[in-house]
mmCIF file of all heavy atoms in Angstrom:
data_model
loop_
_atom_site.group_PDB
_atom_site.id
_atom_site.type_symbol
_atom_site.label_atom_id
_atom_site.label_comp_id
_atom_site.label_asym_id
_atom_site.label_seq_id
_atom_site.Cartn_x
_atom_site.Cartn_y
_atom_site.Cartn_z
ATOM 1 N N GLY D 258 68.492 3.312 36.137
ATOM 2 C CA GLY D 258 68.541 1.979 36.797
ATOM 3 C C GLY D 258 68.432 0.977 35.829
ATOM 4 O O GLY D 258 69.102 0.838 34.873
ATOM 5 N N GLU D 259 67.611 -0.016 36.277
ATOM 6 C CA GLU D 259 67.407 -1.258 35.486
ATOM 7 C C GLU D 259 66.864 -1.017 34.044
ATOM 8 O O GLU D 259 67.090 -1.727 33.091
ATOM 9 C CB GLU D 259 66.419 -2.365 36.116
ATOM 10 C CG GLU D 259 67.003 -2.866 37.422
ATOM 11 C CD GLU D 259 66.171 -3.883 38.133
ATOM 12 O OE1 GLU D 259 64.946 -3.870 37.960
ATOM 13 O OE2 GLU D 259 66.863 -4.784 38.767
ATOM 14 N N LEU D 260 66.019 -0.032 33.871
ATOM 15 C CA LEU D 260 65.506 0.277 32.507
ATOM 16 C C LEU D 260 66.694 0.728 31.661
ATOM 17 O O LEU D 260 66.806 0.402 30.386
ATOM 18 C CB LEU D 260 64.404 1.416 32.567
ATOM 19 C CG LEU D 260 63.035 1.001 33.299
ATOM 20 C CD1 LEU D 260 62.119 1.981 33.192
ATOM 21 C CD2 LEU D 260 62.456 -0.278 32.741
ATOM 22 N N GLU D 261 67.535 1.570 32.118
ATOM 23 C CA GLU D 261 68.728 2.073 31.366
ATOM 24 C C GLU D 261 69.766 0.837 31.109
ATOM 25 O O GLU D 261 70.212 0.693 29.991
ATOM 26 C CB GLU D 261 69.456 3.133 32.063
ATOM 27 C CG GLU D 261 70.713 3.658 31.276
ATOM 28 C CD GLU D 261 71.460 4.710 32.003
ATOM 29 O OE1 GLU D 261 71.368 4.755 33.279
ATOM 30 O OE2 GLU D 261 72.300 5.343 31.437
ATOM 31 N N ASP D 262 69.909 0.020 32.082
ATOM 32 C CA ASP D 262 70.825 -1.194 31.914
ATOM 33 C C ASP D 262 70.265 -2.155 30.976
ATOM 34 O O ASP D 262 71.060 -2.855 30.264
ATOM 35 C CB ASP D 262 71.076 -1.846 33.299
ATOM 36 C CG ASP D 262 71.690 -0.920 34.357
ATOM 37 O OD1 ASP D 262 72.385 0.021 33.933
ATOM 38 O OD2 ASP D 262 71.556 -1.267 35.643
ATOM 39 N N ASN D 263 68.876 -2.217 30.812
ATOM 40 C CA ASN D 263 68.335 -3.297 29.971
ATOM 41 C C ASN D 263 67.681 -2.683 28.751
ATOM 42 O O ASN D 263 66.824 -3.321 28.044
ATOM 43 C CB ASN D 263 67.417 -4.091 30.840
ATOM 44 C CG ASN D 263 68.082 -4.796 31.788
ATOM 45 O OD1 ASN D 263 68.732 -5.872 31.546
ATOM 46 N ND2 ASN D 263 68.047 -4.366 33.147
ATOM 47 N N PHE D 264 68.127 -1.405 28.356
ATOM 48 C CA PHE D 264 67.574 -0.723 27.166
ATOM 49 C C PHE D 264 67.718 -1.409 25.870
ATOM 50 O O PHE D 264 68.806 -1.891 25.589
ATOM 51 C CB PHE D 264 68.157 0.672 27.218
ATOM 52 C CG PHE D 264 67.741 1.435 25.995
ATOM 53 C CD1 PHE D 264 66.492 2.180 26.084
ATOM 54 C CD2 PHE D 264 68.398 1.506 24.835
ATOM 55 C CE1 PHE D 264 65.980 2.946 25.082
ATOM 56 C CE2 PHE D 264 67.841 2.170 23.662
ATOM 57 C CZ PHE D 264 66.695 2.975 23.848
ATOM 58 N N VAL D 265 66.679 -1.468 25.153
ATOM 59 C CA VAL D 265 66.763 -1.818 23.617
ATOM 60 C C VAL D 265 65.952 -0.898 22.961
ATOM 61 O O VAL D 265 64.752 -0.554 23.341
ATOM 62 C CB VAL D 265 66.219 -3.332 23.457
ATOM 63 C CG1 VAL D 265 66.152 -3.626 22.083
ATOM 64 C CG2 VAL D 265 67.022 -4.374 24.244
ATOM 65 N N GLU D 266 66.352 -0.296 21.882
ATOM 66 C CA GLU D 266 65.672 0.720 21.128
ATOM 67 C C GLU D 266 64.475 0.104 20.382
ATOM 68 O O GLU D 266 64.359 -1.006 19.994
ATOM 69 C CB GLU D 266 66.617 1.280 20.085
ATOM 70 C CG GLU D 266 65.890 2.441 19.338
ATOM 71 C CD GLU D 266 66.941 3.006 18.288
ATOM 72 O OE1 GLU D 266 68.179 3.143 18.591
ATOM 73 O OE2 GLU D 266 66.530 3.261 17.081
ATOM 74 N N PHE D 267 63.319 0.778 20.578
ATOM 75 C CA PHE D 267 62.036 0.374 19.923
ATOM 76 C C PHE D 267 61.125 1.616 19.726
ATOM 77 O O PHE D 267 61.294 2.712 20.314
ATOM 78 C CB PHE D 267 61.264 -0.703 20.741
ATOM 79 C CG PHE D 267 60.841 -0.165 21.992
ATOM 80 C CD1 PHE D 267 59.521 0.276 22.105
ATOM 81 C CD2 PHE D 267 61.560 -0.281 23.196
ATOM 82 C CE1 PHE D 267 59.088 0.714 23.356
ATOM 83 C CE2 PHE D 267 61.167 0.149 24.448
ATOM 84 C CZ PHE D 267 59.905 0.751 24.433
ATOM 85 N N THR D 268 60.198 1.470 18.666
ATOM 86 C CA THR D 268 59.226 2.413 18.479
ATOM 87 C C THR D 268 57.984 1.732 18.138
ATOM 88 O O THR D 268 57.962 0.511 17.686
ATOM 89 C CB THR D 268 59.590 3.293 17.236
ATOM 90 O OG1 THR D 268 59.611 2.537 16.062
ATOM 91 C CG2 THR D 268 60.906 4.003 17.423
ATOM 92 N N PHE D 269 56.791 2.345 18.287
ATOM 93 C CA PHE D 269 55.513 1.870 17.927
ATOM 94 C C PHE D 269 54.491 2.947 17.887
ATOM 95 O O PHE D 269 54.800 4.153 18.424
ATOM 96 C CB PHE D 269 55.062 0.689 18.981
ATOM 97 C CG PHE D 269 54.766 1.230 20.180
ATOM 98 C CD1 PHE D 269 53.455 1.615 20.692
ATOM 99 C CD2 PHE D 269 55.733 1.223 21.346
ATOM 100 C CE1 PHE D 269 53.215 2.111 21.868
ATOM 101 C CE2 PHE D 269 55.354 1.581 22.543
ATOM 102 C CZ PHE D 269 54.166 2.083 22.961
ATOM 103 N N ASP D 270 53.468 2.724 17.072
ATOM 104 C CA ASP D 270 52.418 3.581 17.026
ATOM 105 C C ASP D 270 51.160 3.173 17.795
ATOM 106 O O ASP D 270 51.015 1.985 17.880
ATOM 107 C CB ASP D 270 51.914 3.789 15.548
ATOM 108 C CG ASP D 270 52.977 4.396 14.624
ATOM 109 O OD1 ASP D 270 53.965 4.923 15.134
ATOM 110 O OD2 ASP D 270 52.895 4.220 13.335
ATOM 111 N N TYR D 271 50.519 4.068 18.411
ATOM 112 C CA TYR D 271 49.304 3.797 19.107
ATOM 113 C C TYR D 271 48.207 4.740 18.882
ATOM 114 O O TYR D 271 48.420 5.920 18.404
ATOM 115 C CB TYR D 271 49.549 3.547 20.689
ATOM 116 C CG TYR D 271 50.064 4.833 21.344
ATOM 117 C CD1 TYR D 271 49.108 5.753 21.979
ATOM 118 C CD2 TYR D 271 51.359 5.327 21.437
ATOM 119 C CE1 TYR D 271 49.485 6.859 22.573
ATOM 120 C CE2 TYR D 271 51.829 6.425 22.029
ATOM 121 C CZ TYR D 271 50.877 7.200 22.599
ATOM 122 O OH TYR D 271 51.244 8.370 23.237
ATOM 123 N N PRO D 272 46.932 4.339 18.972
ATOM 124 C CA PRO D 272 45.733 5.238 18.623
ATOM 125 C C PRO D 272 45.731 6.499 19.435
ATOM 126 O O PRO D 272 46.120 6.533 20.631
ATOM 127 C CB PRO D 272 44.530 4.307 19.001
ATOM 128 C CG PRO D 272 45.103 2.951 18.906
ATOM 129 C CD PRO D 272 46.389 3.053 19.429
ATOM 130 N N ASN D 273 45.312 7.559 18.754
ATOM 131 C CA ASN D 273 45.455 8.920 19.533
ATOM 132 C C ASN D 273 44.461 8.974 20.752
ATOM 133 O O ASN D 273 44.724 9.667 21.692
ATOM 134 C CB ASN D 273 44.822 10.058 18.461
ATOM 135 C CG ASN D 273 45.960 10.354 17.486
ATOM 136 O OD1 ASN D 273 47.199 10.154 17.653
ATOM 137 N ND2 ASN D 273 45.452 10.941 16.365
ATOM 138 N N SER D 274 43.529 8.081 20.641
ATOM 139 C CA SER D 274 42.581 7.989 21.720
ATOM 140 C C SER D 274 43.078 7.288 22.941
ATOM 141 O O SER D 274 42.461 7.439 24.086
ATOM 142 C CB SER D 274 41.214 7.321 21.322
ATOM 143 O OG SER D 274 41.504 6.076 21.001
#
Side-chain angles (χ1 to χ4, degrees):
E259 290 184 330
L260 294 179
E261 181 182 20
D262 294 343
N263 295 286
F264 177 84
V265 175
E266 186 176 318
F267 64 91
T268 64
F269 64 92
D270 297 339
Y271 61 94
N273 288 336
S274 59

